[in-house]
Amino acid sequence: MSFFHRQILLFMIAFISATVCYANNLQINNLQVIGNNKISFRVSWENSWELENIAAPYNHDAAWIFVKYRAANGTWQHLDLSSNSADHQSDSLIIETVTDGKGVFLKKKFPGSGDISNALVTLNWSGYLSAGSFDFKVFGIE
């Protein structure tokens, strides 16, 4: 295959992926701290897909979720989450953890495409925070 044909092929793959695979409008709300080591919230986003082993482009989207906390008027810090997937729960999403605990990936539980609507997510953080009052924020990137 010539260089020109490879370039055309790469352009077509990128164009098809860009037009077929797009997620947007990530929203996180209803944040609640539960007990000493859980945080719960609702998450929604549009145009999610789970196409592994189904159809081209044979992949899925996901939202990267991480949590920050601070003591009253203090500096925002990462809240380390459990790296054990079984410690986290969702009513309609798969939660994939990472070894450093700095966040989790959320993705559709079932194959297909469509919107994620108001999914409940509960995450456990690792360790305990010292006694006191804390502010929490949950952030997400699609």
Side-chain angles (χ1 to χ4, degrees):
M1 182 181 294
S2 73
F3 176 78
F4 176 75
H5 287 110
R6 277 184 279 168
Q7 293 296 338
I8 294 292
L9 180 61
L10 287 174
F11 172 79
M12 290 176 67
I13 290 171
F15 178 76
I16 290 169
S17 294
T19 58
V20 173
C21 303
Y22 55 93
N24 50 30
N25 200 21
L26 179 65
Q27 297 179 15
I28 299 168
N29 53 44
N30 296 337
L31 175 67
Q32 296 179 1
V33 175
I34 303 168
N36 293 326
N37 67 338
K38 292 183 183 182
I39 193 159
S40 180
F41 54 92
R42 297 271 178 183
V43 63
S44 301
W45 74 90
E46 297 171 351
N47 305 310
S48 178
W49 71 92
E50 208 313 357
L51 302 174
E52 291 184 69
N53 302 315
I54 295 173
Y58 303 105
N59 62 11
H60 62 83
D61 76 327
W64 170 250
I65 303 294
F66 58 97
V67 182
K68 296 275 192 165
Y69 77 99
R70 70 176 177 178
N73 298 318
T75 303
W76 287 101
Q77 302 175 57
H78 262 291
L79 182 64
D80 290 335
L81 302 173
S82 170
S83 58
N84 182 357
S85 293
D87 289 342
H88 309 293
Q89 300 169 340
S90 177
D91 58 356
S92 58
L93 299 171
I94 292 174
I95 301 173
E96 294 181 354
T97 60
V98 293
T99 56
D100 68 3
K102 298 300 183 195
V104 296
F105 289 102
L106 304 179
K107 70 177 194 172
K108 286 178 76 68
K109 189 176 279 188
F110 302 106
S113 61
D115 297 346
I116 303 293
S117 182
N118 216 25
L120 179 62
V121 176
T122 302
L123 303 176
N124 285 17
W125 65 74
S126 54
Y128 291 93
L129 299 177
S130 60
S133 179
F134 297 94
D135 296 320
F136 294 87
K137 288 187 179 181
V138 177
F139 297 88
I141 302 169
E142 311 179 73

